Amino acid sequence: MNYDLVSGKSVQRVLVTGGAGFIGSNLVRMMVESGSYHVVVLDALTYAGNLANLTDVLDTERCVFELGNITDASRVRQVLADHKPSAIMHLAAESHVDRSIASAAPFVETNVKGTLVLLEAMRELPDARFVHVSTDEVYGTLGPNDAPFVETTPLDPTSPYAASKAASDLLVQSFVRTHGLDAVITRCSNNYGPYQFPEKFIPLMTLNALEGRPLPIYGDGQQVRDWLHVDDHCYGLLAALKRGVSGEVYNFGGDGERTNAAMVSAILAQTGASPDLCTYVADRKAHDRRYAINAEKAHRELGWAPTRNLDEGLQSTIAWYTHNRTWSDNVRSGAYRTYYETQYNTTL
Ligand code: NAD
Ligand code: TYD
């Protein structure tokens, strides 16, 4: 813990892996704006990483960026030695189910090996805490009348993405038990909000609706997801950092179960796009039918609860994509890949 001479506040130095991605950039912004954290972002800037997500907070006295791959043990050790964080919030991952179906190897490399590299490096920071950001997808799929997932629901991943996250969760638990690592695991339902890469459902459907392109709905569109606004997820992650008990798992969910078809209807209504754009396409392989989260443990033990109602949150998210077309145009054209190079006068 450091002491900030200007504000007089105590300030924690935290390393955020994957801080240039969707959830990571929202988390970093929240931490910097709170005035309670010095944030070091460690990110490899894969296709999913976009430094433009952080323009307003980057390279301020409270936020520095380190380019690096979490599978590179010497780079990770160097960054930890340079910054000596008191906590790591680990979000870097390959995160898209469809990509894991097309090619699983990068998921094992980053999500399993990369997490192991971080865990080994943590042994040189014995007083630091590790917050491992995982997903409800490790629990597998639910039927329409099944009870929502609790933290003790057996791991039963379907996709290679979910399997790689489950493997990383087990590695974290093994380091808590074997090496006494101070770590908590969080498992969250589907997030929505600003800065999400438009291969994911909500930004993809919103941008296609705005551009008059087809909206590709997998299968019958009756799959259910429990949507949580990214800000609420980030509040939960900070609560887990502060109040989580080492070795414990905490679920976060939005009490926002909705079918994909219902989400598309809301997007069409707000954008004014024609329902004729809806195109039912071949289903995803082994498509999980339903996710739902019981977050009572996080309510009880972390004092966390979602603050955003899905209708209002979705409305403001669609409005964000509608009004930030330069951001989405740069992502869709690939121009965002040059942002780092221009900013730091170097090549990726
Ligand atoms: P994202 O794909 O938007 O961002 C991932 C970030 O990690 C990118 O900035 C990317 O450059 C970076 N990265 C990838 N591989 C890396 C590597 N080898 N080394 C360093 N950096 C690397 O992902 P997201 O949606 O922001 O998800 C963040 C975390 O939250 C992930 O661990 C994901 O499993 C988990 N999660 C996501 C959701 C969701 O709905 N998006 C829900 C629950 C949990
Ligand atoms: P996605 O955003 O990929 O998240 P996840 O697979 O992790 O839940 O997809 C959300 C839901 O939307 C999921 O049921 C798959 C569906 N989907 C489509 O119907 N069409 C699409 O083009 C995409 C990307 C997803």
Side-chain angles (χ1 to χ4, degrees), residues 229-243:
H229 193 280
V230 65
D231 284 350
D232 280 327
H233 186 190
C234 295
Y235 293 133
L237 296 178
L238 294 175
L241 171 67
K242 281 188 215 142
R243 294 189 284 280

Side-chain angles (χ1 to χ4, degrees), residues 38-87:
H38 281 289
V39 182
V40 180
V41 174
L42 174 63
D43 198 296
L45 296 182
T46 68
Y47 80 93
N50 181 356
L51 267 196
N53 294 355
L54 291 171
T55 32
D56 47 336
V57 289
L58 199 63
D59 290 335
T60 57
E61 159 200 359
R62 288 282 168 76
C63 181
V64 296
F65 178 74
E66 295 281 7
L67 182 68
N69 197 305
I70 57 165
T71 61
D72 178 347
S74 62
R75 178 70 181 130
V76 166
R77 269 202 305 275
Q78 180 197 354
V79 171
L80 293 187
D82 287 350
H83 295 283
K84 298 182 184 56
S86 64

Side-chain angles (χ1 to χ4, degrees), residues 25-39:
S25 60
N26 281 284
L27 175 68
V28 168
R29 179 171 299 98
M30 185 179 282
M31 292 173 83
V32 171
E33 287 177 352
S34 76
S36 300
Y37 303 93
H38 281 289
V39 182

Side-chain angles (χ1 to χ4, degrees), residues 319-333:
W320 190 89
Y321 288 102
T322 306
H323 297 124
N324 287 274
R325 298 300 285 280
T326 309
W327 180 88
S328 52
D329 287 349
N330 284 339
V331 172
R332 290 197 144 193
S333 71

Side-chain angles (χ1 to χ4, degrees), residues 132 134-139 142 147-155 169 173 184-189 191 226 228 232-233 235-237 239-240 248-255 291-306:
H132 180 65
S134 190
T135 167
D136 62 352
E137 299 192 29
V138 298
Y139 298 123
L142 291 170
F149 302 126
V150 289
E151 288 79 358
T152 50
T153 299
L155 301 187
D169 290 13
Q173 278 171 337
V184 294
I185 295 173
T186 64
R187 296 189 181 134
C188 188
S189 58
N191 283 212
D226 174 4
L228 179 73
D232 280 327
H233 186 190
Y235 293 133
L237 296 178
E248 293 293 319
V249 176
Y250 300 95
N251 282 351
F252 298 125
D255 298 325
Y291 301 141
I293 278 273
N294 177 330
E296 277 169 26
K297 181 176 174 184
H299 299 174
R300 206 174 48 244
E301 296 185 16
L302 302 179
W304 175 88

Side-chain angles (χ1 to χ4, degrees), residues 95-98 137 161 190 196 199-202 204-205 216-219 221 223-225 227 260 281 284 287-288 291:
S95 70
H96 190 41
V97 171
D98 291 327
E137 299 192 29
Y161 161 65
N190 286 62
Q196 187 167 29
E199 65 185 351
K200 300 278 170 67
F201 184 69
I202 290 180
L204 176 78
M205 296 298 177
I217 301 169
Y218 296 164
Q223 302 81 10
V224 172
R225 296 294 182 263
W227 293 98
N260 293 340
V281 299
R284 174 185 278 173
H287 195 171
D288 285 342
Y291 301 141

